[in-house]
mmCIF file of all heavy atoms in Angstrom:
data_model
loop_
_atom_site.group_PDB
_atom_site.id
_atom_site.type_symbol
_atom_site.label_atom_id
_atom_site.label_comp_id
_atom_site.label_asym_id
_atom_site.label_seq_id
_atom_site.Cartn_x
_atom_site.Cartn_y
_atom_site.Cartn_z
ATOM 1 N N ILE A 1070 -119.300 57.715 89.962
ATOM 2 C CA ILE A 1070 -118.263 56.761 90.246
ATOM 3 C C ILE A 1070 -117.757 56.948 91.712
ATOM 4 O O ILE A 1070 -117.564 55.932 92.381
ATOM 5 C CB ILE A 1070 -117.150 56.939 89.304
ATOM 6 C CG1 ILE A 1070 -117.488 56.387 87.876
ATOM 7 C CG2 ILE A 1070 -115.906 56.053 89.675
ATOM 8 C CD1 ILE A 1070 -116.549 56.696 86.738
ATOM 9 N N ALA A 1071 -117.478 58.188 92.027
ATOM 10 C CA ALA A 1071 -117.014 58.537 93.420
ATOM 11 C C ALA A 1071 -118.019 58.167 94.465
ATOM 12 O O ALA A 1071 -117.684 57.479 95.488
ATOM 13 C CB ALA A 1071 -116.626 59.977 93.568
ATOM 14 N N ALA A 1072 -119.341 58.367 94.195
ATOM 15 C CA ALA A 1072 -120.336 58.032 95.152
ATOM 16 C C ALA A 1072 -120.466 56.520 95.355
ATOM 17 O O ALA A 1072 -120.693 56.007 96.435
ATOM 18 C CB ALA A 1072 -121.741 58.709 94.760
ATOM 19 N N ARG A 1073 -120.279 55.820 94.238
ATOM 20 C CA ARG A 1073 -120.449 54.434 94.293
ATOM 21 C C ARG A 1073 -119.251 53.824 95.036
ATOM 22 O O ARG A 1073 -119.372 52.850 95.887
ATOM 23 C CB ARG A 1073 -120.453 53.755 92.826
ATOM 24 C CG ARG A 1073 -121.775 54.134 92.073
ATOM 25 C CD ARG A 1073 -122.071 53.387 90.793
ATOM 26 N NE ARG A 1073 -122.493 52.133 91.048
ATOM 27 C CZ ARG A 1073 -122.855 51.298 90.072
ATOM 28 N NH1 ARG A 1073 -122.791 51.676 88.693
ATOM 29 N NH2 ARG A 1073 -123.334 50.104 90.319
ATOM 30 N N LEU A 1074 -118.031 54.365 94.858
ATOM 31 C CA LEU A 1074 -116.968 53.913 95.603
ATOM 32 C C LEU A 1074 -117.086 54.089 97.115
ATOM 33 O O LEU A 1074 -116.881 53.316 97.995
ATOM 34 C CB LEU A 1074 -115.660 54.747 95.114
ATOM 35 C CG LEU A 1074 -114.399 54.440 95.844
ATOM 36 C CD1 LEU A 1074 -113.965 52.958 95.846
ATOM 37 C CD2 LEU A 1074 -113.224 55.332 95.428
ATOM 38 N N LYS A 1075 -117.595 55.262 97.349
ATOM 39 C CA LYS A 1075 -117.864 55.572 98.819
ATOM 40 C C LYS A 1075 -118.881 54.527 99.426
ATOM 41 O O LYS A 1075 -118.691 54.001 100.593
ATOM 42 C CB LYS A 1075 -118.623 56.850 99.147
ATOM 43 C CG LYS A 1075 -117.432 58.024 98.942
ATOM 44 C CD LYS A 1075 -116.494 58.018 100.016
ATOM 45 C CE LYS A 1075 -115.565 59.291 99.949
ATOM 46 N NZ LYS A 1075 -114.614 59.280 101.060
ATOM 47 N N GLY A 1076 -119.935 54.051 98.607
ATOM 48 C CA GLY A 1076 -120.809 53.096 99.073
ATOM 49 C C GLY A 1076 -120.217 51.759 99.271
ATOM 50 O O GLY A 1076 -120.407 51.065 100.099
ATOM 51 N N TYR A 1077 -119.291 51.367 98.379
ATOM 52 C CA TYR A 1077 -118.549 50.076 98.405
ATOM 53 C C TYR A 1077 -117.641 50.125 99.784
ATOM 54 O O TYR A 1077 -117.512 48.986 100.243
ATOM 55 C CB TYR A 1077 -117.627 49.831 97.292
ATOM 56 C CG TYR A 1077 -118.376 49.959 95.836
ATOM 57 C CD1 TYR A 1077 -117.641 50.235 94.760
ATOM 58 C CD2 TYR A 1077 -119.732 49.583 95.747
ATOM 59 C CE1 TYR A 1077 -118.324 50.309 93.553
ATOM 60 C CE2 TYR A 1077 -120.375 49.452 94.575
ATOM 61 C CZ TYR A 1077 -119.584 50.009 93.391
ATOM 62 O OH TYR A 1077 -120.259 50.011 92.132
ATOM 63 N N LEU A 1078 -117.274 51.313 100.257
ATOM 64 C CA LEU A 1078 -116.473 51.345 101.427
ATOM 65 C C LEU A 1078 -117.347 51.470 102.600
ATOM 66 O O LEU A 1078 -116.888 51.741 103.711
ATOM 67 C CB LEU A 1078 -115.537 52.626 101.236
ATOM 68 C CG LEU A 1078 -114.444 52.459 100.142
ATOM 69 C CD1 LEU A 1078 -113.707 53.850 100.063
ATOM 70 C CD2 LEU A 1078 -113.478 51.406 100.497
ATOM 71 N N ASN A 1079 -118.678 51.375 102.423
ATOM 72 C CA ASN A 1079 -119.690 51.463 103.585
ATOM 73 C C ASN A 1079 -119.608 52.935 104.131
ATOM 74 O O ASN A 1079 -119.982 53.074 105.298
ATOM 75 C CB ASN A 1079 -119.430 50.461 104.702
ATOM 76 C CG ASN A 1079 -119.842 49.021 104.119
ATOM 77 O OD1 ASN A 1079 -120.816 48.867 103.501
ATOM 78 N ND2 ASN A 1079 -118.950 48.130 104.500
ATOM 79 N N LYS A 1080 -119.245 53.907 103.453
ATOM 80 C CA LYS A 1080 -119.417 55.399 103.776
ATOM 81 C C LYS A 1080 -120.557 55.968 103.095
ATOM 82 O O LYS A 1080 -120.475 56.703 102.350
ATOM 83 C CB LYS A 1080 -118.041 55.990 103.404
ATOM 84 C CG LYS A 1080 -116.878 55.440 104.166
ATOM 85 C CD LYS A 1080 -115.650 56.251 103.796
ATOM 86 C CE LYS A 1080 -114.483 55.672 104.625
ATOM 87 N NZ LYS A 1080 -113.199 56.354 104.329
ATOM 88 N N HIS A 1081 -121.777 55.463 103.455
ATOM 89 C CA HIS A 1081 -123.000 55.737 102.771
ATOM 90 C C HIS A 1081 -123.476 57.180 102.789
ATOM 91 O O HIS A 1081 -124.027 57.909 101.815
ATOM 92 C CB HIS A 1081 -124.182 54.845 103.101
ATOM 93 C CG HIS A 1081 -123.784 53.387 102.971
ATOM 94 N ND1 HIS A 1081 -123.551 52.808 101.682
ATOM 95 C CD2 HIS A 1081 -123.495 52.398 103.838
ATOM 96 C CE1 HIS A 1081 -123.238 51.507 101.853
ATOM 97 N NE2 HIS A 1081 -123.195 51.263 103.127
ATOM 98 N N ALA A 1082 -123.245 57.874 103.962
ATOM 99 C CA ALA A 1082 -123.594 59.219 104.257
ATOM 100 C C ALA A 1082 -122.702 60.150 103.338
ATOM 101 O O ALA A 1082 -123.226 61.089 102.754
ATOM 102 C CB ALA A 1082 -123.410 59.638 105.743
ATOM 103 N N GLU A 1083 -121.468 59.702 103.086
ATOM 104 C CA GLU A 1083 -120.628 60.575 102.297
ATOM 105 C C GLU A 1083 -120.970 60.363 100.826
ATOM 106 O O GLU A 1083 -120.841 61.258 100.022
ATOM 107 C CB GLU A 1083 -119.037 60.111 102.431
ATOM 108 C CG GLU A 1083 -118.607 60.359 103.833
ATOM 109 C CD GLU A 1083 -117.122 59.927 104.018
ATOM 110 O OE1 GLU A 1083 -116.424 59.843 102.976
ATOM 111 O OE2 GLU A 1083 -116.618 59.786 105.236
ATOM 112 N N SER A 1084 -121.457 59.241 100.478
ATOM 113 C CA SER A 1084 -121.986 58.956 99.150
ATOM 114 C C SER A 1084 -123.175 59.870 98.802
ATOM 115 O O SER A 1084 -123.247 60.527 97.874
ATOM 116 C CB SER A 1084 -122.370 57.499 98.998
ATOM 117 O OG SER A 1084 -122.889 57.117 97.711
ATOM 118 N N VAL A 1085 -124.091 59.892 99.895
ATOM 119 C CA VAL A 1085 -125.218 60.749 99.736
ATOM 120 C C VAL A 1085 -124.819 62.225 99.487
ATOM 121 O O VAL A 1085 -125.423 62.887 98.692
ATOM 122 C CB VAL A 1085 -126.268 60.633 100.879
ATOM 123 C CG1 VAL A 1085 -127.265 61.795 100.942
ATOM 124 C CG2 VAL A 1085 -126.828 59.251 100.909
ATOM 125 N N ALA A 1086 -123.801 62.663 100.283
ATOM 126 C CA ALA A 1086 -123.343 64.045 100.199
ATOM 127 C C ALA A 1086 -122.788 64.283 98.807
ATOM 128 O O ALA A 1086 -123.047 65.369 98.185
ATOM 129 C CB ALA A 1086 -122.267 64.345 101.240
ATOM 130 N N LEU A 1087 -122.009 63.548 98.214
ATOM 131 C CA LEU A 1087 -121.477 63.639 96.878
ATOM 132 C C LEU A 1087 -122.604 63.746 95.870
ATOM 133 O O LEU A 1087 -122.552 64.645 94.863
ATOM 134 C CB LEU A 1087 -120.565 62.513 96.537
ATOM 135 C CG LEU A 1087 -119.214 62.549 97.151
ATOM 136 C CD1 LEU A 1087 -118.457 61.129 96.909
ATOM 137 C CD2 LEU A 1087 -118.347 63.637 96.552
ATOM 138 N N LEU A 1088 -123.636 62.904 96.016
ATOM 139 C CA LEU A 1088 -124.778 62.978 94.960
ATOM 140 C C LEU A 1088 -125.635 64.110 95.223
ATOM 141 O O LEU A 1088 -126.065 64.709 94.254
ATOM 142 C CB LEU A 1088 -125.589 61.744 95.096
ATOM 143 C CG LEU A 1088 -124.790 60.362 94.754
ATOM 144 C CD1 LEU A 1088 -125.552 59.099 95.300
ATOM 145 C CD2 LEU A 1088 -124.707 60.375 93.181
ATOM 146 N N THR A 1089 -125.591 64.643 96.444
ATOM 147 C CA THR A 1089 -126.297 65.953 96.519
ATOM 148 C C THR A 1089 -125.636 67.050 95.956
ATOM 149 O O THR A 1089 -126.278 68.011 95.383
ATOM 150 C CB THR A 1089 -126.456 66.283 98.124
ATOM 151 O OG1 THR A 1089 -127.271 65.140 98.806
ATOM 152 C CG2 THR A 1089 -127.199 67.589 98.399
ATOM 153 N N GLU A 1090 -124.343 67.061 95.961
ATOM 154 C CA GLU A 1090 -123.447 68.067 95.313
ATOM 155 C C GLU A 1090 -123.711 67.970 93.729
ATOM 156 O O GLU A 1090 -124.043 68.932 92.970
ATOM 157 C CB GLU A 1090 -121.973 67.795 95.510
ATOM 158 C CG GLU A 1090 -121.469 68.364 96.790
ATOM 159 C CD GLU A 1090 -119.946 68.131 96.819
ATOM 160 O OE1 GLU A 1090 -119.259 68.300 95.725
ATOM 161 O OE2 GLU A 1090 -119.476 67.921 98.043
ATOM 162 N N ALA A 1091 -123.790 66.738 93.222
ATOM 163 C CA ALA A 1091 -123.976 66.486 91.828
ATOM 164 C C ALA A 1091 -125.426 67.082 91.409
ATOM 165 O O ALA A 1091 -125.563 67.616 90.360
ATOM 166 C CB ALA A 1091 -123.861 65.022 91.530
ATOM 167 N N LEU A 1092 -126.364 66.835 92.202
ATOM 168 C CA LEU A 1092 -127.763 67.293 91.877
ATOM 169 C C LEU A 1092 -127.843 68.666 91.903
ATOM 170 O O LEU A 1092 -128.767 69.332 91.277
ATOM 171 C CB LEU A 1092 -128.738 66.614 92.868
ATOM 172 C CG LEU A 1092 -129.153 65.283 92.619
ATOM 173 C CD1 LEU A 1092 -129.696 64.552 93.877
ATOM 174 C CD2 LEU A 1092 -130.140 65.205 91.498
ATOM 175 N N GLU A 1093 -127.020 69.493 92.608
ATOM 176 C CA GLU A 1093 -126.889 70.985 92.429
ATOM 177 C C GLU A 1093 -126.454 71.380 91.044
ATOM 178 O O GLU A 1093 -126.916 72.425 90.561
ATOM 179 C CB GLU A 1093 -125.962 71.468 93.558
ATOM 180 C CG GLU A 1093 -126.570 71.264 94.986
ATOM 181 C CD GLU A 1093 -125.557 71.728 96.038
ATOM 182 O OE1 GLU A 1093 -124.416 72.227 95.617
ATOM 183 O OE2 GLU A 1093 -125.801 71.580 97.166
ATOM 184 N N LEU A 1094 -125.679 70.522 90.450
ATOM 185 C CA LEU A 1094 -125.175 70.757 89.128
ATOM 186 C C LEU A 1094 -126.163 70.354 88.027
ATOM 187 O O LEU A 1094 -126.314 71.008 86.962
ATOM 188 C CB LEU A 1094 -123.741 70.050 88.902
ATOM 189 C CG LEU A 1094 -122.733 70.441 89.849
ATOM 190 C CD1 LEU A 1094 -121.422 69.561 89.552
ATOM 191 C CD2 LEU A 1094 -122.388 71.954 89.557
ATOM 192 N N GLU A 1095 -126.953 69.318 88.386
ATOM 193 C CA GLU A 1095 -127.870 68.682 87.403
ATOM 194 C C GLU A 1095 -129.223 68.421 88.227
ATOM 195 O O GLU A 1095 -129.526 67.253 88.424
ATOM 196 C CB GLU A 1095 -127.264 67.383 86.775
ATOM 197 C CG GLU A 1095 -128.021 67.013 85.573
ATOM 198 C CD GLU A 1095 -127.405 65.815 84.887
ATOM 199 O OE1 GLU A 1095 -126.152 65.716 84.954
ATOM 200 O OE2 GLU A 1095 -128.060 65.021 84.291
ATOM 201 N N PRO A 1096 -129.943 69.573 88.573
ATOM 202 C CA PRO A 1096 -131.135 69.336 89.418
ATOM 203 C C PRO A 1096 -132.124 68.443 88.800
ATOM 204 O O PRO A 1096 -132.385 68.445 87.457
ATOM 205 C CB PRO A 1096 -131.626 70.696 89.398
ATOM 206 C CG PRO A 1096 -130.494 71.635 89.136
ATOM 207 C CD PRO A 1096 -129.621 70.859 88.208
ATOM 208 N N GLY A 1097 -132.674 67.511 89.600
ATOM 209 C CA GLY A 1097 -133.747 66.611 89.011
ATOM 210 C C GLY A 1097 -133.363 65.474 88.120
ATOM 211 O O GLY A 1097 -134.219 64.833 87.598
ATOM 212 N N SER A 1098 -132.002 65.247 88.058
ATOM 213 C CA SER A 1098 -131.519 64.165 87.233
ATOM 214 C C SER A 1098 -132.051 62.850 87.755
ATOM 215 O O SER A 1098 -131.859 62.470 88.862
ATOM 216 C CB SER A 1098 -130.043 64.190 87.186
ATOM 217 O OG SER A 1098 -129.568 62.896 86.683
ATOM 218 N N ALA A 1099 -132.786 61.983 86.869
ATOM 219 C CA ALA A 1099 -133.315 60.763 87.285
ATOM 220 C C ALA A 1099 -132.224 59.855 87.712
ATOM 221 O O ALA A 1099 -132.363 59.077 88.594
ATOM 222 C CB ALA A 1099 -134.202 60.222 86.225
ATOM 223 N N ARG A 1100 -131.119 59.965 86.950
ATOM 224 C CA ARG A 1100 -129.944 59.042 87.225
ATOM 225 C C ARG A 1100 -129.402 59.333 88.608
ATOM 226 O O ARG A 1100 -129.069 58.355 89.430
ATOM 227 C CB ARG A 1100 -128.890 59.315 86.036
ATOM 228 C CG ARG A 1100 -127.656 58.417 86.291
ATOM 229 C CD ARG A 1100 -126.588 58.811 85.290
ATOM 230 N NE ARG A 1100 -126.957 58.481 83.930
ATOM 231 C CZ ARG A 1100 -126.330 59.053 82.843
ATOM 232 N NH1 ARG A 1100 -125.264 59.852 83.053
ATOM 233 N NH2 ARG A 1100 -126.687 58.841 81.610
ATOM 234 N N LEU A 1101 -129.140 60.528 88.920
ATOM 235 C CA LEU A 1101 -128.597 60.964 90.174
ATOM 236 C C LEU A 1101 -129.540 60.656 91.319
ATOM 237 O O LEU A 1101 -129.129 60.211 92.427
ATOM 238 C CB LEU A 1101 -128.182 62.432 90.147
ATOM 239 C CG LEU A 1101 -127.053 62.973 89.228
ATOM 240 C CD1 LEU A 1101 -126.857 64.329 89.250
ATOM 241 C CD2 LEU A 1101 -125.754 62.218 89.768
ATOM 242 N N LEU A 1102 -130.835 60.860 91.104
ATOM 243 C CA LEU A 1102 -131.703 60.565 92.235
ATOM 244 C C LEU A 1102 -131.810 59.111 92.447
ATOM 245 O O LEU A 1102 -132.085 58.701 93.608
ATOM 246 C CB LEU A 1102 -133.157 61.134 91.700
ATOM 247 C CG LEU A 1102 -133.356 62.659 91.759
ATOM 248 C CD1 LEU A 1102 -134.604 62.997 91.080
ATOM 249 C CD2 LEU A 1102 -133.429 63.093 93.204
ATOM 250 N N ARG A 1103 -131.707 58.316 91.376
ATOM 251 C CA ARG A 1103 -131.686 56.856 91.518
ATOM 252 C C ARG A 1103 -130.589 56.441 92.409
ATOM 253 O O ARG A 1103 -130.817 55.586 93.360
ATOM 254 C CB ARG A 1103 -131.448 56.199 90.190
ATOM 255 C CG ARG A 1103 -131.248 54.692 90.154
ATOM 256 C CD ARG A 1103 -129.854 54.470 90.003
ATOM 257 N NE ARG A 1103 -129.406 52.985 89.942
ATOM 258 C CZ ARG A 1103 -129.056 52.253 90.909
ATOM 259 N NH1 ARG A 1103 -129.102 52.594 92.194
ATOM 260 N NH2 ARG A 1103 -128.739 51.003 90.748
ATOM 261 N N PHE A 1104 -129.340 57.020 92.193
ATOM 262 C CA PHE A 1104 -128.205 56.542 92.964
ATOM 263 C C PHE A 1104 -128.341 57.198 94.419
ATOM 264 O O PHE A 1104 -127.980 56.475 95.473
ATOM 265 C CB PHE A 1104 -126.873 56.959 92.352
ATOM 266 C CG PHE A 1104 -126.518 55.926 91.203
ATOM 267 C CD1 PHE A 1104 -126.666 56.345 90.069
ATOM 268 C CD2 PHE A 1104 -126.111 54.767 91.658
ATOM 269 C CE1 PHE A 1104 -126.442 55.456 88.989
ATOM 270 C CE2 PHE A 1104 -125.690 53.870 90.548
ATOM 271 C CZ PHE A 1104 -125.851 54.194 89.219
ATOM 272 N N ARG A 1105 -128.797 58.333 94.586
ATOM 273 C CA ARG A 1105 -128.935 58.941 95.876
ATOM 274 C C ARG A 1105 -129.978 58.241 96.815
ATOM 275 O O ARG A 1105 -129.811 57.948 97.986
ATOM 276 C CB ARG A 1105 -129.133 60.414 96.002
ATOM 277 C CG ARG A 1105 -129.089 61.102 97.320
ATOM 278 C CD ARG A 1105 -129.225 62.613 97.387
ATOM 279 N NE ARG A 1105 -130.554 63.087 97.117
ATOM 280 C CZ ARG A 1105 -130.958 64.338 97.096
ATOM 281 N NH1 ARG A 1105 -130.053 65.238 97.464
ATOM 282 N NH2 ARG A 1105 -132.130 64.690 96.910
ATOM 283 N N GLY A 1106 -131.106 57.817 96.113
ATOM 284 C CA GLY A 1106 -132.174 57.111 96.747
ATOM 285 C C GLY A 1106 -131.543 55.708 97.251
ATOM 286 O O GLY A 1106 -131.946 55.449 98.368
ATOM 287 N N HIS A 1107 -130.780 55.142 96.468
ATOM 288 C CA HIS A 1107 -130.160 53.866 96.957
ATOM 289 C C HIS A 1107 -129.367 54.039 98.095
ATOM 290 O O HIS A 1107 -129.535 53.313 99.177
ATOM 291 C CB HIS A 1107 -129.351 53.414 95.763
ATOM 292 C CG HIS A 1107 -128.588 51.983 96.070
ATOM 293 N ND1 HIS A 1107 -127.969 51.240 95.090
ATOM 294 C CD2 HIS A 1107 -128.476 51.296 97.237
ATOM 295 C CE1 HIS A 1107 -127.413 50.233 95.688
ATOM 296 N NE2 HIS A 1107 -127.634 50.215 96.912
ATOM 297 N N ARG A 1108 -128.447 54.974 98.092
ATOM 298 C CA ARG A 1108 -127.572 55.274 99.231
ATOM 299 C C ARG A 1108 -128.413 55.702 100.525
ATOM 300 O O ARG A 1108 -127.966 55.642 101.697
ATOM 301 C CB ARG A 1108 -126.525 56.180 98.921
ATOM 302 C CG ARG A 1108 -125.584 55.582 97.811
ATOM 303 C CD ARG A 1108 -125.040 54.191 98.304
ATOM 304 N NE ARG A 1108 -124.399 53.456 97.200
ATOM 305 C CZ ARG A 1108 -124.032 52.210 97.181
ATOM 306 N NH1 ARG A 1108 -124.399 51.491 98.244
ATOM 307 N NH2 ARG A 1108 -123.507 51.717 96.237
ATOM 308 N N ARG A 1109 -129.491 56.339 100.261
ATOM 309 C CA ARG A 1109 -130.309 56.913 101.438
ATOM 310 C C ARG A 1109 -130.993 55.753 102.124
ATOM 311 O O ARG A 1109 -131.068 55.660 103.400
ATOM 312 C CB ARG A 1109 -131.406 57.822 101.006
ATOM 313 C CG ARG A 1109 -130.990 59.265 100.774
ATOM 314 C CD ARG A 1109 -132.031 60.162 100.320
ATOM 315 N NE ARG A 1109 -131.996 61.486 101.009
ATOM 316 C CZ ARG A 1109 -132.651 62.555 100.784
ATOM 317 N NH1 ARG A 1109 -133.678 62.406 99.889
ATOM 318 N NH2 ARG A 1109 -132.550 63.671 101.385
ATOM 319 N N ILE A 1110 -131.212 54.670 101.378
ATOM 320 C CA ILE A 1110 -131.703 53.440 101.976
ATOM 321 C C ILE A 1110 -130.644 52.924 102.916
ATOM 322 O O ILE A 1110 -130.961 52.443 104.135
ATOM 323 C CB ILE A 1110 -132.012 52.308 100.919
ATOM 324 C CG1 ILE A 1110 -133.348 52.772 100.096
ATOM 325 C CG2 ILE A 1110 -132.208 51.034 101.615
ATOM 326 C CD1 ILE A 1110 -133.506 51.762 98.931
ATOM 327 N N SER A 1111 -129.452 52.974 102.366
ATOM 328 C CA SER A 1111 -128.196 52.307 103.289
ATOM 329 C C SER A 1111 -128.009 53.139 104.533
ATOM 330 O O SER A 1111 -127.507 52.575 105.383
ATOM 331 C CB SER A 1111 -126.961 52.249 102.332
ATOM 332 O OG SER A 1111 -127.175 51.537 101.229
ATOM 333 N N THR A 1112 -128.366 54.405 104.498
ATOM 334 C CA THR A 1112 -128.227 55.117 105.760
ATOM 335 C C THR A 1112 -129.386 55.099 106.606
ATOM 336 O O THR A 1112 -129.364 55.673 107.795
ATOM 337 C CB THR A 1112 -128.016 56.747 105.377
ATOM 338 O OG1 THR A 1112 -129.112 57.205 104.792
ATOM 339 C CG2 THR A 1112 -126.861 56.894 104.401
ATOM 340 N N GLY A 1113 -130.439 54.377 106.230
ATOM 341 C CA GLY A 1113 -131.676 54.284 107.038
ATOM 342 C C GLY A 1113 -132.724 55.395 106.835
ATOM 343 O O GLY A 1113 -133.678 55.400 107.452
ATOM 344 N N ASP A 1114 -132.409 56.196 105.850
ATOM 345 C CA ASP A 1114 -133.407 57.362 105.528
ATOM 346 C C ASP A 1114 -134.343 56.754 104.505
ATOM 347 O O ASP A 1114 -134.232 57.200 103.373
ATOM 348 C CB ASP A 1114 -132.580 58.583 104.992
ATOM 349 C CG ASP A 1114 -133.495 59.807 104.730
ATOM 350 O OD1 ASP A 1114 -134.698 59.702 105.046
ATOM 351 O OD2 ASP A 1114 -133.003 60.620 104.152
ATOM 352 N N TYR A 1115 -135.254 55.991 104.947
ATOM 353 C CA TYR A 1115 -136.062 55.341 103.965
ATOM 354 C C TYR A 1115 -137.105 56.435 103.425
ATOM 355 O O TYR A 1115 -137.455 56.260 102.142
ATOM 356 C CB TYR A 1115 -136.815 54.167 104.598
ATOM 357 C CG TYR A 1115 -135.974 53.139 105.251
ATOM 358 C CD1 TYR A 1115 -136.333 52.536 106.436
ATOM 359 C CD2 TYR A 1115 -134.778 52.828 104.701
ATOM 360 C CE1 TYR A 1115 -135.492 51.592 107.056
ATOM 361 C CE2 TYR A 1115 -133.962 51.861 105.235
ATOM 362 C CZ TYR A 1115 -134.223 51.238 106.417
ATOM 363 O OH TYR A 1115 -133.427 50.391 106.973
ATOM 364 N N THR A 1116 -137.587 57.349 104.160
ATOM 365 C CA THR A 1116 -138.429 58.282 103.677
ATOM 366 C C THR A 1116 -137.939 59.179 102.620
ATOM 367 O O THR A 1116 -138.504 59.420 101.607
ATOM 368 C CB THR A 1116 -138.970 59.197 104.893
ATOM 369 O OG1 THR A 1116 -139.690 58.335 105.720
ATOM 370 C CG2 THR A 1116 -139.933 60.204 104.396
ATOM 371 N N GLY A 1117 -136.580 59.543 102.902
ATOM 372 C CA GLY A 1117 -135.842 60.397 101.890
ATOM 373 C C GLY A 1117 -135.595 59.574 100.608
ATOM 374 O O GLY A 1117 -135.698 60.113 99.527
#
């Protein structure tokens, strides 16, 4: 929810950082990877 809010505020790098924190708690989560992948697109990190 926090990461999506950051995305809505166009703070995509901060959204990615939050989801990276979450993935440390739940490594490999398909759900978390889905949302971080989305926000990485928004930051221009298409390869990531």
Side-chain angles (χ1 to χ4, degrees):
I1070 292 172
R1073 296 188 78 175
L1074 175 61
K1075 287 291 189 180
Y1077 303 152
L1078 296 172
N1079 290 318
K1080 298 180 178 181
H1081 303 293
E1083 293 180 24
S1084 179
V1085 169
L1087 284 170
L1088 291 162
T1089 300
E1090 280 186 33
L1092 279 160
E1093 292 173 0
L1094 301 174
E1095 196 175 329
S1098 164
R1100 181 189 294 168
L1101 291 170
L1102 287 167
R1103 169 260 185 272
F1104 282 103
R1105 190 173 71 171
H1107 179 172
R1108 295 307 168 191
R1109 278 182 141 174
I1110 294 174
S1111 301
T1112 65
D1114 180 13
Y1115 305 143
T1116 300

